[in-house]
């Protein structure tokens, strides 16, 4: 059973909130509540715009331009600041810990994630998820990024498994589900907010809570 990382096993949105608080504490003083709300909305919009990109310098540079700061980070230090602090902003729920613990007693568990090796491994390490995973595949190391089906095919080759022997769970209908299904892997769409995706993509299954994957695992095993 293979999982996406950000916004599937880990709540990236909450982590961005936490990173914003660190930026606020490091670079600003005495920000009014209403201004703080506007700043957070802008910070999250800039982050979303740069999602998937290695270099995050542009995010904070644009943010500092819009909201002048008392203690502006030098441009050449922004990437190191992000790499150091952002992985520490992630937390993992007890529900998720219980899930992967249960799954590990039944099947091998792995992760396929887009991103840089340094940041993604730090997230896994800092949330104590590492020892639950038999395999971790990161796009920077593999050489392909989701939704490119070659990243999934590379994983299958590495694991010496056939597509029908694997389930993949992810939150992104195009990158995760279309990507894995183009490689013949059954994709379970994790859709906790029950959004309408408006595409022709048909996931193998759709769930709104992670614990539901156990049911689909048992169904797959019986099949």
């Amino acid at each position: 059973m293979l999982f996406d990382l950000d916004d599937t096993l880990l709540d990236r949105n909450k982590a961005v909130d936490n990173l914003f608080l660190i930026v606020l504490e490091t670079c600003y003083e005495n920000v009014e509540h209403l201004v703080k709300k506007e700043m957070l909305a802008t910070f999250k919009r800039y982050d979303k715009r740069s999602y998937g990109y290695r270099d995050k310098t542009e995010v904070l540079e644009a943010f500092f331009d819009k909201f002048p700061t008392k203690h502006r980070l030098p441009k050449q230090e922004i990437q190191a600041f992000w790499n150091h602090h952002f992985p520490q902003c992630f937390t993992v729920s007890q529900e998720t810990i219980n899930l992967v613990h249960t799954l590990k007693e039944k099947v091998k568990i792995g992760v396929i994630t887009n991103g840089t090796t340094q940041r993604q491994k730090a997230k896994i390490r800092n949330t104590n998820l590492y020892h639950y995973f038999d395999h971790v595949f990161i796009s920077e190391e593999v050489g392909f990024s989701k939704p490119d089906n070659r990243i999934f095919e590379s994983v299958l080759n590495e694991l010496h498994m056939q597509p029908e022997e694997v389930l993949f769970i992810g939150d992104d209908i195009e990158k995760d589900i279309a990507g894995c299904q183009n490689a013949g892997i059954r994709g379970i769409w994790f859709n906790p907010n029950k959004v309408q995706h408006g595409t022709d993509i048909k996931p193998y299954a759709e769930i709104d809570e992670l614990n539901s994957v156990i049911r689909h695992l048992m169904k797959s095993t019986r099949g």
Side-chain angles (χ1 to χ4, degrees):
M1 183 165 280
L2 298 170
F3 287 88
D4 169 54
L5 186 63
D6 292 304
D7 291 323
T8 301
L9 291 177
L10 299 180
D11 188 341
R12 189 181 186 280
N13 186 58
K14 184 176 180 180
V16 173
D17 289 345
N18 293 337
L19 181 62
F20 168 74
L21 294 178
I22 293 174
V23 172
L24 207 63
E25 182 179 345
T26 303
C27 303
Y28 294 88
E29 295 178 2
N30 303 321
V31 179
E32 296 180 3
H33 178 69
L34 289 179
V35 176
K36 191 181 298 185
K37 289 180 64 176
E38 180 189 357
M39 291 172 71
L40 175 59
T42 302
F43 185 78
K44 297 180 86 162
R45 186 169 68 251
Y46 288 177
D47 167 75
K48 187 175 182 179
R49 191 172 62 194
S50 76
Y51 183 65
Y53 291 94
R54 178 191 183 102
D55 190 349
K56 300 294 184 176
T57 304
E58 183 179 313
V59 177
L60 287 183
E61 281 284 283
F63 185 73
F64 293 151
D65 288 343
K66 184 169 181 61
F67 301 98
T69 171
K70 294 281 187 179
H71 312 286
R72 182 167 180 149
L73 291 172
K75 183 176 182 178
Q76 66 273 17
E77 296 180 11
I78 288 176
Q79 188 60 54
F81 177 90
W82 192 289
N83 287 345
H84 174 72
H85 288 288
F86 193 43
Q88 299 180 21
C89 292
F90 284 80
T91 58
V92 61
S93 69
Q94 188 59 48
E95 178 186 19
T96 299
I97 291 291
N98 293 342
L99 171 66
V100 293
H101 178 78
T102 300
L103 288 174
K104 191 167 178 63
E105 295 177 342
K106 303 177 185 298
V107 292
K108 290 188 178 298
I109 306 174
V111 165
I112 305 177
T113 177
N114 286 352
T116 67
T117 300
Q118 177 186 2
R119 284 203 296 261
Q120 299 306 86
K121 283 190 174 180
K123 293 175 189 177
I124 297 170
R125 195 165 49 244
N126 291 343
T127 52
N128 297 315
L129 283 173
Y130 226 108
H131 65 280
Y132 290 104
F133 299 143
D134 297 285
H135 302 278
V136 174
F137 300 97
I138 302 172
S139 62
E140 185 178 58
E141 294 180 330
V142 178
F144 306 106
S145 298
K146 299 178 292 182
D148 192 326
N149 60 291
R150 288 176 293 180
I151 188 172
F152 296 98
E153 292 167 353
S154 296
V155 168
L156 290 174
N157 290 334
E158 179 75 18
L159 298 178
H160 304 290
M161 300 192 78
Q162 298 301 311
E164 60 270 17
E165 298 178 290
V166 177
L167 292 174
F168 183 76
I169 300 91
D171 70 292
D172 192 304
I173 191 70
E174 294 182 348
K175 290 181 180 178
D176 293 323
I177 306 309
C180 77
Q181 294 194 159
N182 284 339
I185 297 172
R186 288 167 294 181
I188 298 177
W189 185 32
F190 177 50
N191 183 20
N193 297 318
K194 300 181 181 180
V195 300
Q196 299 296 317
H197 61 80
T199 74
D200 294 329
I201 301 166
K202 296 181 179 180
Y204 167 71
E206 179 180 336
I207 59 175
D208 57 21
E209 56 180 26
L210 281 178
N211 280 334
S212 298
V213 302
I214 296 176
R215 182 177 74 252
H216 291 288
L217 173 63
M218 302 312 294
K219 175 183 174 182
S220 175
T221 303
R222 291 194 300 269

